[in-house]
Amino acid sequence: MNGAWWQRGVIYQIYPRSFADANGDGVGDLRGIVDHLDYLNDGTGRPPPAGGALGVDAIWLSPFYRSPMADFGYDISDYTDVDPVFGTLGDFDDLLEGAHSRGIKVVVDWVPNHTSDRHPWFTESASSRDSPKRGWYVWRDPAPGGGPPNNWRSSFAAVGPAWTFHEPTGQYYLHSFTPQQPDLNWDNPEVETAMHEVLRFWLDRGVDGFRIDVVYKIAKDPELGDNEPGLEHDVHWPTIHDRLRKIRSVIDEYDDRMIVGEVYLLDLPRVVEYINSGDELNLAHNFVFVHLPWHAAAFRASVAEFTELAETSAWPAWFLENHDHSRVATRYAGEPGSGPRRARLAAMLVCTLRGTPFLYYGQELGLPDARIPPDRVVDVAGRDPERAPMPWLRPSHAGPGAGFSTAGPWLPVVTDAERLCVEAQQQDPASALAFVRELLRLRSGERALQSGSQRPVDAAADVFCFERRLDQRFLIALNFSSASVPAGLGDDPDGAAVLELSTDPGRARGPVDPRSLVLGPDEGVILRFPAGEAATG
Ligand code: NOJ
């Protein structure tokens, strides 16, 4: 047994507004995704020809539900319908069928912490203090001296306090994000039941799993105590574990499904609590990783800490890009030219560590953040640059929509779309796209890279090196500095290896002596050792 699909495979996040616009209104839609499924995985098996499919195994779709779009779909007014800007439920069914026929699993976003303020549950709840749905949200009287009931803050700094006063009923309501996203009251069993029904709706339709938005926020101090140094009362309350077990038992009513949670807690001991018991989440997104400085030592230590804290039965998930963070090529850009190289190194890292890799659309192109002129800014929290539309075609002939849309796109594409678009990279064997395609092809053919054991290997200070091993043995050596450095693999391992893949398209593949290996600036390599050779060191 080589693990479940969500352990073996690579999961690709699509932000539907920005992937492909089929109906020409400037905003991406479900039909646009259907039209590009062959790009992701044509289902014909491997190896792909040059210019073939990327080879991802699953897609995670950010929200496409009915929404007033105050937070671009993370403010949901109907959990069981598709927003007209994205299409219809029929389009979703077509997407599911098209994906499944190519062997692509489909994971959808589930946003249990809050609804839109236009959700009928909230309009009812806000209608009077006696509403039967009053207790579905968190309403409180003003503090004794006036003002918000406690010191909780919105996760969006620009919003300020997590409370908004509602004049008609004279109470405050809680919102962990914008005022248009009132928090549901998970201490109310009716809310829990209703949200479980949402899961069943999509499970019955055939989805393979859920990414759970801000899952650590669905358990808060029911007494609404002030946050204090060392204890946050608005997240990760002890009730979280019982709630997760109940969610998991809904998922387990169905075969072979998966839940991955957004556990945005910046300490690993709490993150692993979500996966260690085996009956809560299958996977947890680890944001400690996203916030690491670009140093081999930082990544080495963080992976070691995670490995130490996690039960051997718990399965890691790794990502460095999503729709809430500056893209790697920008975030980690150091010396000139290092951004694109580091984007490749980051992809190699997440796709070779033991665990499930998540890639964000456009990461395979090495996209940097887009430059958003002040008059085009739309997001309350500054996240437009990493949400720029996917550049499919050269703007010089496809226009400013770069094949994403025939209309003006909702956000501008990256400045260098002419060179970075899929069309330009597709046939170029030295492109980032060709590199990521090769990386996924190698991973998909090697059980050692999917489910093999992992152990750190001594190397030069700037080099993070680890071994993956099952029936085959691989070393992955990643140079985090922008200088050439001897990899420092020393006598471990001895003997000949085969260099299978480098982030540097100029590097020759084939036999190599690891002891004399010198890595180029920001270069990562995957070395294969003859089957059965003993690991040393
Ligand atoms: C986390 C999502 O990833 C982010 O995009 C959103 O703004 C908040 N949760 C609120 O749903």
Side-chain angles (χ1 to χ4, degrees):
M1 183 58 185
N2 191 23
W5 64 266
W6 49 268
Q7 296 175 305
R8 292 189 304 270
V10 175
I11 304 183
Y12 182 90
Q13 181 191 353
I14 292 179
Y15 194 68
R17 287 187 81 80
S18 299
F19 194 63
D21 168 23
N23 70 352
D25 62 358
V27 176
D29 44 44
L30 298 182
R31 212 21 80 201
I33 301 173
V34 174
D35 293 345
H36 290 84
L37 286 172
D38 278 341
Y39 167 81
L40 299 174
N41 193 335
D42 57 17
T44 59
R46 298 183 170 86
L54 182 57
V56 300
D57 304 279
I59 51 178
W60 147 33
L61 306 171
S62 281
F64 50 79
Y65 315 107
R66 272 193 191 266
S67 165
M69 304 290 167
D71 190 15
F72 297 104
Y74 283 96
D75 51 318
I76 297 169
S77 54
D78 185 345
Y79 284 107
T80 56
D81 200 4
V82 173
D83 193 274
V85 82
F86 296 123
T88 64
L89 275 173
D91 293 331
F92 180 78
D93 291 339
D94 289 348
L95 169 49
L96 205 54
E97 196 194 314
H100 285 166
S101 71
R102 290 166 176 82
I104 304 172
K105 302 281 187 183
V106 178
V107 174
V108 300
D109 227 299
W110 181 59
V111 186
N113 178 68
H114 46 271
T115 67
S116 161
D117 61 344
R118 312 245 195 102
H119 193 295
W121 297 342
F122 187 73
T123 20
E124 169 58 47
S125 184
S127 65
S128 102
R129 289 196 186 205
D130 304 324
S131 159
K133 290 227 163 28
R134 190 68 169 177
W136 280 44
Y137 292 83
V138 185
W139 294 95
R140 282 296 184 284
D141 289 335
N150 68 17
N151 69 358
W152 296 0
R153 311 277 302 171
S154 161
S155 296
F156 297 145
V159 171
W163 297 94
T164 287
F165 189 64
H166 183 249
E167 290 283 350
T169 56
Q171 286 190 309
Y172 280 88
Y173 67 89
L174 177 68
H175 50 85
S176 292
F177 296 91
T178 69
Q180 293 80 33
Q181 294 165 287
D183 281 27
L184 284 162
N185 175 16
W186 271 77
D187 294 321
N188 182 332
E190 290 177 26
V191 166
E192 190 166 34
T193 304
M195 290 309 297
H196 288 176
E197 282 312 308
V198 173
L199 292 172
R200 289 196 185 90
F201 175 89
W202 293 103
L203 289 163
D204 287 338
R205 255 191 141 80
V207 306
D208 301 288
F210 299 92
R211 176 267 188 180
I212 308 182
D213 190 64
V214 293
V215 64
Y216 60 104
K217 278 187 180 278
I218 62 168
K220 306 181 182 83
D221 174 7
E223 306 293 323
L224 304 183
D226 275 344
N227 282 334
E228 48 192 312
L231 183 59
E232 296 164 285
H233 289 249
D234 56 348
V235 295
H236 190 70
W237 211 247
T239 41
I240 189 67
H241 298 294
D242 181 51
R243 284 177 196 167
L244 289 172
R245 274 185 213 108
K246 289 188 183 148
I247 291 165
R248 176 65 174 268
S249 64
V250 173
I251 303 302
D252 287 347
E253 291 166 12
Y254 299 76
D255 282 343
D256 213 19
R257 314 293 166 106
M258 179 277 283
I259 42 177
V260 53
E262 182 195 19
V263 186
Y264 208 139
L265 295 167
L266 293 180
D267 66 314
L268 291 178
R270 284 191 291 167
V271 173
V272 296
E273 282 185 36
Y274 288 71
I275 53 173
N276 264 351
S277 65
D279 58 359
E280 299 183 30
L281 296 179
N282 298 108
L283 298 171
H285 279 152
N286 164 6
F287 288 81
V288 173
F289 211 57
V290 176
H291 289 277
L292 292 175
W294 192 255
H295 295 306
F299 281 88
R300 193 185 295 123
S302 196
V303 170
E305 187 189 353
F306 184 92
T307 310
E308 197 159 299
L309 291 166
E311 295 293 336
T312 39
S313 56
W315 192 251
W318 304 105
F319 77 103
L320 284 168
E321 288 197 4
N322 76 7
H323 61 295
D324 294 328
H325 295 276
S326 167
R327 288 184 181 268
V328 166
T330 300
R331 186 167 95 230
Y332 287 130
E335 294 169 29
S338 62
R341 294 195 302 260
R342 289 179 179 186
R344 293 179 190 217
L345 198 72
M348 184 176 273
L349 173 63
V350 297
C351 292
T352 54
L353 281 172
R354 177 178 175 271
T356 303
F358 283 76
L359 296 176
Y360 181 50
Y361 83 95
Q363 189 172 356
E364 73 278 22
L365 304 177
L367 290 188
D369 291 345
R371 260 184 3 91
I372 310 292
D375 62 329
R376 299 285 303 269
V377 169
V378 289
D379 180 48
V380 62
R383 297 165 297 181
D384 300 323
E386 59 264 26
R387 297 175 177 179
M390 180 83 165
W392 293 99
L393 302 173
R394 294 187 171 95
S396 57
H397 62 81
F404 159 75
S405 176
T406 50
W410 75 287
L411 284 174
V413 299
V414 292
T415 316
D416 207 3
E418 192 72 13
R419 205 175 46 84
L420 291 172
C421 68
V422 174
E423 183 184 26
Q425 297 201 31
Q426 189 79 278
Q427 304 296 334
D428 174 4
S431 67
L433 176 57
F435 162 71
V436 175
R437 210 160 45 202
E438 278 285 296
L439 178 64
L440 299 198
R441 188 192 58 76
L442 181 61
R443 184 189 152 97
S444 76
E446 296 295 344
R447 283 164 22 110
L449 294 176
Q450 294 168 35
S451 49
S453 61
Q454 174 175 297
R455 94 186 158 91
V457 170
D458 287 343
D462 285 329
V463 175
F464 177 25
C465 183
F466 54 94
E467 176 195 83
R468 297 297 311 281
R469 183 180 191 125
L470 193 55
D471 23 44
Q472 297 271 316
R473 176 178 180 230
F474 290 89
L475 275 198
I476 294 90
L478 309 162
N479 176 14
F480 278 72
S481 85
S482 286
S484 284
V485 294
L489 300 178
D491 291 333
D492 172 36
D494 54 4
V498 174
L499 191 143
E500 288 283 343
L501 185 63
S502 165
T503 54
D504 176 358
R507 160 84 70 176
R509 302 194 192 173
V512 63
D513 182 347
R515 290 169 298 194
S516 55
L517 179 68
V518 176
L519 293 171
D522 311 295
E523 186 188 14
V525 296
I526 302 178
L527 307 180
R528 180 202 298 269
F529 289 83
E533 185 188 321
T536 54

